Amino acid sequence: MKLNVLAILTITSVFLVGCQSNDGQSKTTDSGYRCEQVTALGSNIPTKYCSTRKQREEARKRGAESLRNSQQQVLTGDDRR
């Protein structure tokens, strides 16, 4: 009986430590590689997304350029697509 209780406590502690180490927050390494849990719009299922520092910088630049282009279209009245 004592062995069963000890086994249950050991297994439970291993699961708790494993869950705590994988808490879904973004983690960055020294090389700039980062993984994070991302939930898509309209979904409750998170997926793991990993990227390098260079990929994140390029995505930011594309986003800023897209925003600038859409603002220019609104200001000039150019609705061509």
Side-chain angles (χ1 to χ4, degrees):
M1 181 69 177
K2 202 173 196 182
L3 184 61
N4 289 339
V5 172
L6 184 61
I8 291 172
L9 287 175
T10 304
I11 292 171
T12 303
S13 64
V14 168
F15 279 120
L16 290 176
V17 170
C19 291
Q20 187 175 5
S21 68
N22 190 10
D23 58 3
Q25 295 181 3
S26 65
K27 299 188 187 323
T28 306
T29 62
D30 292 337
S31 64
Y33 191 75
R34 180 188 300 168
C35 291
E36 54 191 343
Q37 295 288 334
V38 179
T39 304
L41 185 63
S43 174
N44 289 331
I45 303 172
T47 57
K48 189 173 185 179
Y49 174 74
C50 298
S51 62
T52 62
R53 182 175 301 154
K54 184 176 180 181
Q55 289 172 331
R56 290 189 302 274
E57 289 172 3
E58 288 176 4
R60 266 188 231 110
K61 287 178 184 178
R62 284 193 311 266
E65 184 178 334
S66 177
L67 177 63
R68 192 176 327 107
N69 289 340
S70 65
Q71 288 174 340
Q72 286 177 350
Q73 286 179 354
V74 169
L75 292 176
T76 61
D78 185 16
D79 58 356
R80 291 179 290 163
R81 294 183 188 235

